[in-house]
Amino acid sequence: MQRSHLTPILKNSCEFGYVGIDAILEQMRRKAMKQGFELNIMVVGQSGLGKSTLMNTLFKSKVSRKSAQPNPEERIPKTIEIKSISHDIEEKGVRMKLTVIDTPGFGDHINNENCWQPIMKFINDQYEAYLQEEININRKKRIPDSRVHCCIYFIPPTGHCLRPLDVEFMRRLSKVVNIVPVIAKADTLTLEERDFFKQKIREELRANEIDVYPQKEFDEDAEDRMINDKIREMIPFAVVGSDQEYQVNGKRILGRKTKWDWSSLELEPVCICRTHMQNIKDITSSIHFETYRVRRLNESNGLPHHHLAPQTNGAAAQHEALSHEM
């Protein structure tokens, strides 16, 4: 009797053969919506290249304080200062805690030797803080993530070639963080000058074995490779940031107006923000942080620095070697 009563109920309550695997995506989405997201972006470049304006434009909010026009009594910091400012941003019901990390003083001195060291130390300090929380016996249910997920490096629009400082910074830091190089204030160059400058920079990146984001070795499949190849063709990104809107052909468009003309906003990195935000975080966690974690745990166990766990790949081994060049 019990069997005959249960059978119709089971048939009515769920479709025969339906497991419900597709419902996992909705469950994950709801959980992620409740938790929200964290994104930590570092901006590096000398004063006056529009770092704050770009960040404010990218996220359509005052997420970064302008520091390009200091008061006359203010002096350039004697050493690089690391300043962070966090904002809670919400878009279509999705919440994100965005932290912008600025580096005032970088590249502003006559002698910029080893000016990348404070930045390297800051990045590694965030890895260390996360590692200590991770190995804590009574660790938090959700570890606060202060790791730097992406470093936007601003290249002055000289139109000629990379400076030794640019090459050295990206060569060292690309192994410990996702580097996204951008040509600042690209509207100061003609289209021909911009194309030449981009090509020259790509050649110098290859010649110096600088692997910027998105890295080819981390393409997961053919589809990833196709999408990332299109992005790699645009590297370095050309950017024109602006806080001002103008009425053009009945539409309000962000842009920069001059006496003779106006230039529309060019934000090639916006495609990275829209399509690769999670991938940037994944590479930070599974590659950059994992390499740091393996090295630190090996040190704790008395193993030599060059000893890496089997799952660590060649790129991670280079990462570790360069992180010790400080």
Side-chain angles (χ1 to χ4, degrees):
M1 290 292 292
Q2 291 181 348
R3 184 176 180 181
S4 62
H5 285 301
L6 285 174
T7 301
I9 296 174
L10 288 173
K11 286 184 177 179
N12 293 333
S13 61
C14 63
E15 184 181 344
F16 179 74
Y18 176 70
V19 178
I21 297 175
D22 57 341
I24 294 177
L25 292 176
E26 178 59 22
Q27 294 169 27
M28 293 173 64
R29 189 190 71 84
R30 285 201 304 266
K31 184 177 181 180
M33 293 278 281
K34 286 182 180 179
Q35 292 180 342
F37 299 89
E38 294 172 312
L39 183 66
N40 307 318
I41 298 180
M42 174 179 279
V43 290
V44 180
Q46 67 188 59
S47 299
L49 292 181
K51 301 187 295 295
S52 298
T53 300
L54 176 66
M55 296 309 299
N56 292 339
T57 308
L58 268 178
F59 295 96
K60 297 181 180 180
S61 178
K62 298 293 183 182
V63 298
S64 184
R65 298 190 183 97
K66 289 187 178 182
S67 58
Q69 301 294 335
N71 296 325
E73 64 271 13
E74 292 180 346
R75 297 179 180 178
I76 295 174
K78 293 182 179 180
T79 58
I80 294 175
E81 299 177 359
I82 310 292
K83 296 182 177 180
S84 300
I85 180 170
S86 297
H87 286 268
D88 290 322
I89 299 177
E90 186 169 336
E91 184 179 74
K92 295 182 179 180
V94 180
R95 292 181 296 105
M96 182 177 72
K97 180 183 178 183
L98 172 68
T99 300
V100 177
I101 304 142
D102 199 0
T103 55
F106 177 86
D108 290 335
H109 304 276
I110 296 176
N111 181 7
N112 291 298
E113 186 178 3
N114 298 329
C115 63
W116 55 81
Q117 286 187 354
I119 297 172
M120 176 82 81
K121 182 179 183 303
F122 179 86
I123 292 171
N124 282 330
D125 284 349
Q126 308 320 303
Y127 288 150
E128 181 66 23
Y130 194 92
L131 176 62
Q132 292 304 317
E133 287 286 352
E134 193 178 62
I135 63 178
N136 197 339
I137 296 176
N138 298 315
R139 64 181 179 180
K140 299 174 183 176
K141 185 177 180 180
R142 188 182 183 196
I143 301 174
D145 191 0
S146 63
R147 296 172 297 183
V148 180
H149 300 125
C150 176
C151 173
I152 301 180
Y153 185 74
F154 287 71
I155 300 170
T158 63
H160 303 296
C161 60
L162 291 175
R163 303 169 301 171
L165 174 61
D166 302 325
V167 172
E168 195 62 19
F169 178 90
M170 288 190 284
R171 187 183 74 83
R172 290 174 180 267
L173 271 294
S174 63
K175 301 305 178 182
V176 299
V177 69
N178 296 309
I179 294 282
V180 177
V182 302
I183 299 173
K185 297 187 174 180
D187 57 337
T188 61
L189 302 172
T190 66
L191 293 178
E192 292 77 14
E193 290 172 337
R194 190 187 308 178
D195 290 341
F196 173 81
F197 195 26
K198 280 193 168 196
Q199 182 60 34
K200 186 67 175 176
I201 291 173
R202 283 194 289 267
E203 291 173 358
E204 292 187 78
L205 291 175
R206 285 194 294 269
N208 290 279
E209 299 182 345
I210 298 171
D211 205 11
V212 298
Y213 184 86
Q215 302 92 328
K216 285 186 177 180
E217 59 264 41
F218 304 143
D219 291 346
E220 295 184 359
D221 51 38
E223 184 182 1
D224 270 1
R225 192 177 306 111
M226 181 179 66
I227 295 172
N228 290 340
D229 280 345
K230 290 181 180 179
I231 293 176
R232 283 187 277 263
E233 288 174 2
M234 295 190 289
I235 291 175
F237 298 119
V239 298
V240 177
S242 174
D243 294 314
Q244 300 297 319
E245 286 187 349
Y246 296 95
Q247 193 80 19
V248 180
N249 297 326
K251 296 181 179 179
R252 295 196 67 81
I253 297 176
L254 283 170
R256 190 188 301 276
K257 194 172 184 179
T258 63
K259 293 180 180 179
W260 55 88
D261 198 0
W262 70 278
S263 57
S264 61
L265 183 67
E266 296 193 43
L267 280 179
E268 290 175 339
V270 78
C271 61
I272 291 283
C273 293
R274 287 178 179 168
T275 63
H276 286 60
M277 193 180 297
Q278 187 58 49
N279 184 254
I280 285 174
K281 295 184 64 174
D282 289 343
I283 290 179
T284 298
S285 181
S286 62
I287 303 298
H288 298 308
F289 171 69
E290 181 65 17
T291 303
Y292 181 87
R293 188 186 71 84
V294 169
R295 174 168 65 84
R296 289 287 288 113
L297 295 180
N298 282 341
E299 289 174 352
S300 299
N301 293 329
L303 296 173
H305 293 321
H306 65 269
H307 180 84
L308 290 174
Q311 70 270 25
T312 309
N313 60 20
Q318 292 178 1
H319 169 166
E320 181 192 0
L322 279 173
S323 69
H324 278 82
E325 290 185 14
M326 289 179 58

